């Protein structure tokens, strides 16, 4: 790859809506999730590193299908994930710029929401622990039949924002290749963060823009029902 830098000039996107992934995009709970899967791996007799190599950006119910089908059900997954913020709350931090972005999206009255591979119990727990703005529109693992990279979760997100199938000018915020591919397969533009994966992985997955974190993203306002989103210092 030719050597570039995170220095692209500011660009303002005019959008019908914004859909954001959660873990790795709004918060970084890597340390908590690692501890969680180490605990689960020990209980299952499976090397935690094996689980961790494939679990990021995937629903736990899909991960458990690989290791213990008896636990691949919403009752077990929700109960276990719901404990993570309680047990490991101090191990999660917000992605730089996330708090300001969520607050400004809400204050501007933008059409936005969160589309995550986590369960409702997990996301509600993290939002409460970290005191972040609760999205009015939240798609969680239980809401879809297939997780990312299947685009169904993002298409459902657009629908729940009240957008028609022709209102395709939506930007997806993502950090994982599976999520980037889901956003692109839905027909949306994807703004990727290098918070959990490398620049090369983000570009290979098809990201339209790549930034280091959400300090490069800000709300300019809402005009005529469209969200004006400024992106600075993208990779070029």
């Amino acid at each position: 790859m030719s050597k570039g830098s995170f220095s692209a000039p500011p660009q303002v996107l005019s959008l019908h809506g914004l859909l954001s992934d959660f873990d790795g995009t709004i918060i970084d709970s890597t340390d908590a999730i690692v501890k969680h899967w180490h605990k689960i791996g020990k209980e299952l007799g499976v090397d935690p590193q094996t689980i961790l190599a494939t679990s990021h950006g995937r629903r736990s119910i899909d991960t458990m299908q690989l290791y213990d089908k008896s636990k691949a059900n919403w009752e077990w997954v929700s109960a276990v994930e719901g404990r993570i913020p309680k047990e490991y709350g101090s191990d999660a931090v917000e992605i730089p710029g996330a708090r300001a972005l969520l607050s400004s999206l809400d204050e501007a009255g933008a059409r936005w929401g969160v589309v995550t591979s986590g369960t409702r119990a997990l996301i509600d727990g993290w939002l409460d622990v970290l005191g972040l703005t609760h999205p009015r529109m939240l798609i969680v693992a239980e809401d879809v039949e297939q997780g990312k990279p299947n685009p169904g979760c993002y298409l459902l997100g657009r629908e729940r924002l009240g957008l028609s199938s022709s209102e395709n000018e939506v930007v997806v915020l993502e950090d994982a290749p599976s999520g980037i591919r889901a956003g692109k397969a839905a027909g949306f533009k994807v703004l990727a963060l290098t918070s959990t994966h490398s620049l090369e992985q983000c570009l290979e997955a098809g990201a339209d823009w790549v930034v280091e974190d959400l300090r490069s993203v800000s709300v300019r306002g809402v005009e005529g029902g469209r969200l004006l989103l400024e992106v600075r210092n993208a990779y070029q």
Side-chain angles (χ1 to χ4, degrees):
M1 179 180 291
S2 58
K3 192 166 178 62
S5 63
F6 290 96
S7 59
Q11 179 180 1
V12 177
L13 312 178
S14 177
L15 306 163
H16 290 121
L18 178 147
L19 297 168
S20 179
D21 176 49
F22 189 74
D23 204 347
T25 304
I26 292 173
I27 73 163
D28 181 357
S29 66
T30 302
D31 291 348
I33 298 301
V34 167
K35 289 178 181 178
H36 162 70
W37 283 118
H38 271 268
K39 184 178 179 180
I40 299 299
K42 191 174 181 182
E43 291 172 8
L44 298 178
V46 177
D47 181 358
Q49 296 304 326
T50 302
I51 302 176
L52 287 163
T54 58
S55 64
H56 188 80
R58 296 181 72 182
R59 302 183 305 171
S60 290
I61 199 166
D62 298 327
T63 300
M64 293 312 297
Q65 283 281 358
L66 303 174
Y67 303 106
D68 187 343
K69 285 184 168 58
S70 71
K71 292 180 172 60
N73 61 78
W74 289 123
E75 186 178 5
W76 186 86
V77 170
S78 292
V80 168
E81 285 200 355
R83 291 201 301 265
I84 296 173
K86 296 182 178 76
E87 294 178 4
Y88 309 116
S90 61
D91 291 308
V93 295
E94 65 200 64
I95 295 294
R99 184 178 300 275
L101 180 62
L102 296 194
S103 296
S104 56
L105 283 167
D106 213 41
E107 288 164 8
R111 285 193 278 200
W112 72 283
V114 165
V115 178
T116 175
S117 298
T119 58
R120 187 168 297 277
L122 178 66
I123 306 311
D124 285 344
W126 283 132
L127 289 169
D128 288 341
V129 166
L130 293 169
L132 294 168
T133 300
H134 278 252
R136 291 174 192 156
M137 197 292 292
L138 174 62
I139 303 289
V140 294
E142 300 98 310
D143 291 328
V144 294
E145 290 185 17
Q146 290 180 277
K148 303 169 185 178
N150 186 284
C153 57
Y154 279 119
L155 292 171
L156 180 60
R158 176 182 62 188
E159 181 185 321
R160 290 206 184 161
L161 286 181
L163 298 172
S164 69
S165 58
S166 63
E167 292 177 299
N168 260 348
E169 288 170 43
V170 173
V171 75
V172 165
L173 306 183
E174 268 286 357
D175 68 295
S178 61
I180 294 169
R181 291 190 176 99
K184 292 301 294 181
F188 305 148
K189 297 286 190 181
V190 177
L191 173 60
L193 284 66
T194 55
S195 47
T196 63
H197 289 77
S198 69
L199 169 68
E200 287 75 18
Q201 287 173 306
C202 291
L203 291 172
E204 187 182 331
D208 296 281
W209 304 274
V210 183
V211 296
E212 292 178 289
D213 58 46
L214 292 177
R215 287 175 294 189
S216 292
V217 185
S218 58
V219 174
R220 292 284 292 269
V222 173
E223 290 181 10
R226 282 176 170 260
L227 165 66
L228 300 180
L229 194 74
E230 183 176 285
V231 179
R232 300 174 301 281
N233 298 319
Y235 180 79
Q236 66 170 359

